[in-house]
Amino acid sequence: MVDDNRRGDDERGPGAAYQMFVVMEDLLDKLKLLDYEEEVLAKHNMKALSRHYFASSAYMPSNPGEQFFMFTIIASWLINAAGRPFEQPQEYDDPNATVSNILSQLRAFGGLVDFPPSKLKAGSGEHVCYVLDRLAEEALKERVFSWRRPNYPTEEMEEESVMEDDAELTLSKVEEEMTEEPDDYEEENVMDLEALKSRTNQSEARLSSKPDNILESNMDAAEWNLEVERVLPQLKVTIRTDHKDWRIHVDQMHQHKDGIKSSLKEAKGYLDKLQEEIGKTLEKVGSREKYINNQLEHLIQDYRSAQSKLSEAKECYQQGSGGVTERTRVLAEITEELEKVKQEMEEKGSSMSDGAPVVKIKQSLTKLKQEIVQMDIRIGVVEHTLLQAKLKEKSNMTRDMHATNIPEPAIGAY
């Protein structure tokens, strides 16, 4: 179950971004327990939800309109399943009102809502998964559903294989070597150790009943050897191994050690060769890197100078932006004052509703224009008179000058 208090924790780990995927998988299991395939999908002719349908990610395709409509349908069905009447929203309903109604029902169930309603309008994300999971829990409670502990199947231990030894066993070899269990075909020709022991006891009892005499064999040695070679394959002893015996583990350790040594011998050559190749490649890469650095040294210097110029240009731009901002503020203040003056002028103009002064002003202007015309005419007459006077005076002066300039010989003749 999802803890309601987890959403109020601001300091969550790095895996919190993927928590909604886990919540979505739990939600899908709960919906299947509530039989949403028959009650929701079949009724509305919809496709089954994927494991991460309501989980939002940049690497997953999304359809906000379809997901939001699916969210509202499932939320309304879960609210009704939890025992509260809720009208199913339609496709063209106001999404703000629909989300508000769903969150109000969630608060009524005791759910914690510490996020804005706009988070649900996307139709996917952590908050959508949380709301649906919380409503699914309430629906399961209404149907008196309880989770049980899982029953894990018990794994049966495999029967230990019995190893078979082809050679004759002695008491020292029995303690050291383990034999496999023989096949069904070989079990008929295998002699049991218990049977040998019982036969030995019987022969000892039979000998103890006889008097103590020296027994001498009258059998030929060659026939005895032939008989031994004939019955030797049948003299096999089977011992069932115990998987808890430490000897088995020691043998396995020695076997693994030998296997590791043999594998190491084969792989060591390849690893040494690979190491040499890697070392040569690293040397080539280092030399190539030095060459590239030497070739690109001037470009790096140009890049650094361009970076410094760019930083200077950014500083100048920031300073200019500060000046523009200040002037924009002053312009806004002046514009505001101008608007105030215009408003006052409009108010004064509207308050002057009487037209008599305007008529008088127009009449005065007309009279003033007429007087100006008359004055212009008078000025023209005066200027003409002055011009005539000046011309007359000039002609008199010219005449006087000609009269005073008399030639000297003419004066002497008189």
Side-chain angles (χ1 to χ4, degrees):
M1 298 293 178
V2 181
D3 189 8
D4 293 340
N5 296 327
R6 69 175 179 82
R7 305 189 63 83
D9 188 11
D10 295 334
E11 298 180 357
R12 297 186 292 177
Y18 306 98
Q19 181 66 24
M20 59 180 171
F21 293 95
V22 180
V23 176
M24 180 59 204
E25 292 180 2
D26 294 341
L27 171 63
L28 190 60
D29 293 337
K30 294 172 185 177
L31 293 177
K32 289 180 180 179
L33 291 174
L34 294 170
D35 196 15
Y36 88 109
E37 293 95 342
E38 298 295 334
E39 298 185 11
V40 178
L41 299 182
K43 183 178 178 181
H44 295 86
N45 193 17
M46 295 179 176
K47 296 181 181 180
L49 300 181
S50 60
R51 292 174 56 204
H52 304 142
Y53 182 78
F54 290 112
S56 62
S57 175
Y59 304 99
M60 296 173 58
S62 61
N63 188 352
E66 178 185 348
Q67 289 174 329
F68 179 74
F69 181 65
M70 180 67 75
F71 162 70
T72 56
I73 292 296
I74 295 177
S76 62
W77 171 68
L78 290 174
I79 293 171
N80 290 320
R84 289 181 176 273
F86 190 83
E87 185 178 357
Q88 179 179 341
Q90 301 300 323
E91 185 176 1
Y92 299 102
D93 289 350
D94 186 11
N96 296 321
T98 304
V99 169
S100 178
N101 294 333
I102 293 173
L103 291 180
S104 63
Q105 293 293 333
L106 181 61
R107 293 189 186 93
F109 285 124
L112 180 62
V113 180
D114 56 353
F115 53 88
S118 59
K119 295 288 186 180
L120 302 179
K121 294 173 65 176
S124 62
E126 178 185 2
H127 306 288
V128 173
C129 296
Y130 164 71
V131 171
L132 292 178
D133 186 73
R134 190 68 177 81
L135 294 176
E137 289 181 7
E138 296 297 330
L140 290 174
K141 289 180 182 179
E142 181 68 19
R143 297 189 180 184
V144 196
F145 178 83
S146 60
W147 299 93
R148 300 179 182 176
R149 292 182 176 273
N151 295 325
Y152 299 102
T154 57
E155 298 181 357
E156 298 180 357
M157 299 297 295
E158 296 182 356
E159 296 183 357
E160 295 292 336
S161 59
V162 179
M163 302 176 64
E164 182 179 359
D165 188 7
D166 296 331
E168 183 180 359
L169 297 177
T170 61
L171 293 177
S172 60
K173 292 182 179 180
V174 169
E175 294 179 355
E176 295 177 359
E177 299 178 0
M178 299 295 130
T179 59
E180 295 181 357
E181 185 176 0
D183 299 336
D184 295 337
Y185 176 74
E186 295 179 352
E187 285 182 356
E188 298 177 356
N189 299 325
V190 173
M191 185 179 295
D192 195 358
L193 192 61
E194 297 295 334
L196 288 175
K197 187 175 180 181
S198 62
R199 288 183 182 180
T200 304
N201 293 333
Q202 291 176 3
S203 62
E204 289 178 356
R206 193 180 302 166
L207 290 173
S208 63
S209 61
K210 293 180 180 181
D212 295 333
N213 295 326
I214 297 174
L215 298 177
E216 294 181 359
S217 177
N218 54 3
M219 183 173 288
D220 189 7
E223 294 180 358
W224 176 262
N225 290 331
L226 291 174
E227 184 67 18
V228 169
E229 291 178 359
R230 186 181 66 81
V231 299
L232 182 60
Q234 299 179 5
L235 297 177
K236 296 179 180 179
V237 180
T238 60
I239 299 176
R240 295 186 179 274
T241 59
D242 187 8
H243 66 280
K244 296 182 180 179
D245 191 3
W246 62 271
R247 297 180 183 84
I248 298 176
H249 298 291
V250 172
D251 294 337
Q252 290 178 354
M253 289 171 63
H254 287 297
Q255 292 175 3
H256 293 320
K257 182 179 179 181
D258 296 336
I260 290 171
K261 286 184 178 179
S262 61
S263 300
L264 181 60
K265 289 179 181 178
E266 296 177 359
K268 188 175 181 181
Y270 297 107
L271 292 175
D272 293 337
K273 185 177 180 181
L274 183 62
Q275 183 181 3
E276 292 178 359
E277 292 179 356
I278 292 173
K280 293 179 181 179
T281 305
L282 288 176
E283 290 179 358
K284 291 180 181 179
V285 170
S287 61
R288 189 64 179 173
E289 183 179 359
K290 291 179 181 178
Y291 175 75
I292 291 173
N293 290 333
N294 293 330
Q295 293 293 326
L296 299 179
E297 185 67 25
H298 64 284
L299 296 177
I300 294 173
Q301 295 294 335
D302 295 341
Y303 176 74
R304 289 175 180 173
S305 61
Q307 285 288 106
S308 61
K309 291 180 181 179
L310 178 61
S311 61
E312 293 176 359
K314 286 183 178 179
E315 291 179 358
C316 295
Y317 172 74
Q318 291 178 357
Q319 294 176 0
S321 299
V324 171
T325 304
E326 182 67 22
R327 287 172 177 78
T328 304
R329 185 182 61 80
V330 173
L331 177 63
E333 293 178 356
I334 294 172
T335 306
E336 186 178 358
E337 292 178 359
L338 180 61
E339 292 294 333
K340 289 181 180 179
V341 172
K342 287 182 178 180
Q343 187 176 1
E344 291 177 357
M345 290 176 65
E346 290 177 356
E347 291 177 355
K348 291 181 179 179
S350 60
S351 63
M352 296 170 63
S353 59
D354 190 5
V358 177
V359 174
K360 290 181 179 180
I361 291 172
K362 288 182 179 180
Q363 293 176 356
S364 299
L365 288 174
T366 304
K367 187 176 180 181
L368 184 61
K369 288 179 180 180
Q370 293 176 357
E371 291 179 354
I372 288 171
V373 171
Q374 293 176 1
M375 186 62 68
D376 290 337
I377 293 171
R378 290 180 180 180
I379 290 171
V381 172
V382 171
E383 287 180 352
H384 181 70
T385 304
L386 289 174
L387 180 60
Q388 291 293 331
K390 286 181 180 180
L391 291 173
K392 188 175 181 181
E393 184 179 359
K394 187 176 181 180
S395 61
N396 292 330
M397 290 175 64
T398 303
R399 188 180 57 192
D400 293 340
M401 288 174 63
H402 284 293
T404 54
N405 292 329
I406 299 174
E408 292 182 357
I411 297 174
Y414 291 101

